[in-house]
Amino acid sequence: MKILVCICQVPDTTTKIAFSDNNTHFNTQGVTFIINPYDEWYALVRALELKEAGTASAVHLITVGKADAEPVIRKALALGGDEAIRIDVDSSDTYLVAAQIAEYAKTVGYDLVLCGKESIDYNNGSVGAMIAELLDMNYLGFAAKIDVAGNTATVKREIEGGEETDTCSLPLVISCQKGVAEARIPNMRGIMAARTKPLKVVPPAAISALSEIVSYELPPAKSGVKMIAPENMDELVSLLHSEAKVI
């Protein structure tokens, strides 16, 4: 069984966000980029566990981005991926990203495609479902546990008010969330091996984006904290009612 893991780079959560060109571009100067945690901690690690258990024969990594994404994909290789593919195009359009991945995947023929449930920068969670549609595969989203036996995957998913367990035949696309696997840290042997593992750069397919970002804006600044003395309970109740509007 061959597994394809979708990897994207995102700004570190401690990054100070700024925009340029009249708020039409994200200013990447000084920004530290990391692997999207849902892709790294859950999708990739679960794929590696399946390979270590003898269920999978190969784990390939794929990202859509320019050369500045290569340090991120090399880190993913250091964790244990066998080879990586970078599709040489930069876009924030989820359809274009999904379509580029699907076009490449068609040429190889993967049994299982894993991705994070969403990226922590845009939080739209749509790429996995789009890939499944474009590959004509079944899709299971927001998986909290994945087991594979033979040609069947058993997936536990969180749903509103509880959990459900689904079984589905391969080939299959699954998006992963917390619970699928435990995060790993690359060791020195993995880091050294990643330097020589294959990283294939593929030209983009002739696919047009369906959306574009018109502008960005920062959320409103948080208001200051109002301190109320413990003995002024009447004032506290009044403010909770009139200003906070929680009672």
Side-chain angles (χ1 to χ4, degrees), residues 131-199:
I131 292 172
E133 175 66 21
L134 293 164
L135 291 175
D136 194 26
M137 290 184 182
N138 290 320
Y139 171 73
L140 290 172
F142 307 97
K145 184 178 180 181
I146 302 170
D147 292 307
V148 179
N151 197 45
T152 302
T154 301
V155 177
K156 182 178 288 186
R157 312 171 56 240
E158 291 186 359
I159 59 173
E160 187 174 355
E163 294 180 336
E164 71 175 31
T165 300
D166 302 298
T167 58
C168 191
S169 297
L170 303 179
L172 177 64
V173 180
I174 304 175
S175 71
C176 306
Q177 66 172 359
K178 184 177 180 180
V180 165
E182 292 292 331
R184 295 184 179 183
I185 298 173
N187 56 34
M188 183 56 65
R189 180 179 179 182
I191 293 170
M192 297 300 292
R195 297 179 180 180
T196 57
K197 287 183 179 180
L199 199 168

